[in-house]
Amino acid sequence: MNVLWLVMISVSVVFAIFTGNLEAFTKSIFDGAKSAVEVSLFLLGIVSIWMGITRILEDSGLIYRIAHLFKPIISRLFKNIPGDHPSITAITLNVLANLFGLGNAATPLGIKAMQELDALNEDKETITPEMMVFIVLNTASIQLIPFSVIGILATFGDSNPAAIVLPVLIATAVSAMTALLVLAAFRRFFG
Amino acid sequence: MIRAVEAISLLIIPLFILFTVWYGTFKKVRVYDSFVAGAKEGPAIILKIFPYLLTIFMAIKGFQASGAFDYVRDAFYGVFAFLDLPIEAVSMSIFKPLSGSASTALFTDIVQTSGTDSMATRMSAVIMGSAETTFYVLAVYLGAVNIRKTRYLVPVCLVADLIGIVVAVCVARYFF
């Protein structure tokens, strides 16, 4: 992350100098700050709502029933989580929210999962293999029905916007599996 | 089919909330108190994430405004033109990992300008549906637990994104 950020900032400034976009570059940095505040405020509301809903699900025990159903799959992907650890529940719910395209619900549940996984982490500054699997699953975007895309297509008069469901499903399944394989390959080479 | 999909997408969250509240009440949970207790965690989480979001947004916006983004895109244009692929899909594949709102805006623009049944639209739709805003996910999830040493996670995500886009392009090509 450190290297990536350094490269992005350096390349941007050098390009801005060469293309004479310095003014636009400076302005854009403050635009970025504005977006960060806006996204955070939006997230504050959404995250709080889903944290509230999740707490009801926890207090009523429903969350544990849902998680129990998916435990066999989850514990295969995440090998070092103890059998009845709360992170399994959070991971399951995050994956389900992603599958059903509920992006707004997936983020808070993902944050919760990361916090639970961090409870198992001995070196708090360094990422664990389980966290990597979890983040890679999320960046690979597993999704059953791409609601937002279908919505836009329908708005502009596509007669059959649902035709993209199957191609997206195949693309997303293949790329998620490849992403996990890439992670496994890196793990083998870099420990 | 599309009617059913629309109905499900409209109903799923309201019904889920209703079910949660009723199930909680059935299990003798004081749902109002539970909800408030859960929601209280929200602000602390956002405070933790904010600096990470700021850092990543600043880098991405600067990258776009400096002209570096255009340069990268032009380099990809060459490759796509050579492979006889719609160039709109190039912008899509670069934008999607960087910014969710920008890629949605871009997708809407592609649908508007090239029509719903064009190859450009369909390829972009598959990329939209099967890729994720990688940098945002990284900032939010790593920020939530203050992880600083990410080892080989970022290269893995970038390689996976690249493969994901190749897969999306191939699948779109095969289907349409």
Side-chain angles (χ1 to χ4, degrees):
Chain A
M1 217 58 189
N2 193 36
V3 178
L4 186 73
W5 198 73
L6 179 71
V7 169
M8 276 183 92
I9 296 289
S10 315
V11 169
S12 302
V13 175
V14 171
F15 257 87
I17 293 169
F18 272 101
T19 53
N21 284 335
L22 276 172
E23 209 176 318
F25 173 78
T26 311
K27 191 178 163 289
S28 73
I29 283 182
F30 295 108
D31 276 351
K34 203 176 130 203
S35 314
V37 173
E38 284 166 1
V39 169
S40 299
L41 277 180
F42 172 73
L43 274 179
L44 174 61
I46 301 284
V47 166
S48 303
I49 287 180
W50 286 104
M51 285 293 172
I53 295 285
T54 314
R55 182 62 68 92
I56 298 178
L57 287 169
E58 276 175 17
D59 290 349
S60 64
L62 187 60
I63 210 171
Y64 304 108
R65 288 175 164 239
I66 300 172
H68 195 75
L69 288 174
F70 291 89
K71 218 169 108 183
I73 309 168
I74 301 289
S75 46
R76 281 210 145 196
L77 277 173
F78 302 87
K79 294 199 174 67
N80 294 327
I81 301 178
D84 51 355
H85 194 263
S87 60
I88 297 178
T89 317
I91 293 169
T92 307
L93 291 172
N94 166 271
V95 171
L96 286 178
N98 273 322
L99 280 177
F100 290 104
L102 309 174
N104 288 337
T107 306
L109 294 166
I111 291 168
K112 211 172 163 54
M114 285 297 288
Q115 289 172 335
E116 303 284 7
L117 286 173
D118 201 40
L120 293 170
N121 192 0
E122 281 164 16
D123 174 8
K124 296 289 177 204
E125 287 207 328
T126 310
I127 195 161
T128 63
E130 277 68 36
M131 290 176 175
M132 288 203 217
V133 174
F134 180 68
I135 292 178
V136 165
L137 266 185
N138 266 278
T139 56
S141 171
I142 26 164
Q143 197 176 58
L144 286 180
I145 303 167
F147 287 116
S148 60
V149 176
I150 293 176
I152 296 171
L153 285 174
T155 311
F156 288 96
D158 192 337
S159 54
N160 186 18
I164 62 148
V165 170
L166 185 62
V168 168
L169 197 61
I170 293 172
T172 196
V174 173
S175 64
M177 274 187 281
T178 337
L180 288 175
L181 286 177
V182 171
L183 178 63
F186 267 76
R187 190 187 275 181
R188 176 158 287 189
F189 281 111
F190 300 100
Chain B
M1 169 67 187
I2 180 64
R3 285 263 170 273
V5 170
E6 273 174 16
I8 291 168
S9 68
L10 282 176
L11 274 170
I12 191 160
I13 290 183
L15 279 186
F16 181 69
I17 292 174
L18 185 70
F19 179 72
T20 305
V21 176
W22 279 2
Y23 186 85
T25 309
F26 174 72
K27 288 278 174 181
K28 301 204 168 51
V29 172
R30 294 179 56 84
V31 289
Y32 172 83
D33 300 308
S34 266
F35 187 89
V36 171
K40 267 186 193 156
E41 290 174 26
I45 292 173
I46 299 304
L47 269 182
K48 241 187 208 172
I49 295 170
F50 176 74
Y52 293 89
L53 273 182
L54 178 73
T55 312
I56 219 69
F57 278 23
M58 175 188 148
I60 289 172
K61 292 268 179 181
F63 193 68
Q64 282 174 351
S66 68
F69 177 81
D70 296 331
Y71 193 81
V72 174
R73 190 183 51 196
D74 290 345
F76 275 92
Y77 272 172
V79 179
F80 270 63
F82 179 72
L83 296 172
D84 193 25
L85 294 167
I87 44 172
E88 287 88 345
V90 181
S91 310
M92 200 67 228
S93 23
I94 304 174
F95 258 112
K96 185 66 197 184
L98 294 177
S99 162
S101 49
S103 55
T104 307
L106 179 69
F107 179 63
T108 312
D109 184 56
I110 294 172
V111 179
Q112 252 175 323
T113 48
S114 57
T116 51
D117 53 0
S118 68
M119 190 54 156
T121 294
R122 285 173 169 160
M123 201 169 273
S124 309
V126 179
I127 295 171
M128 264 295 272
S130 66
E132 186 57 79
T133 48
T134 304
F135 289 94
Y136 172 80
V137 171
L138 285 173
V140 170
Y141 285 0
L142 294 173
V145 287
N146 289 323
I147 292 282
R148 294 204 299 117
K149 294 175 190 153
T150 55
R151 304 175 70 193
Y152 43 84
L153 176 70
V154 177
V156 168
C157 288
L158 294 178
V159 172
D161 271 341
L162 189 66
I163 298 175
I165 284 156
V166 173
V167 170
V169 168
C170 295
V171 169
R173 249 282 164 85
Y174 178 78
F175 269 89
F176 301 112

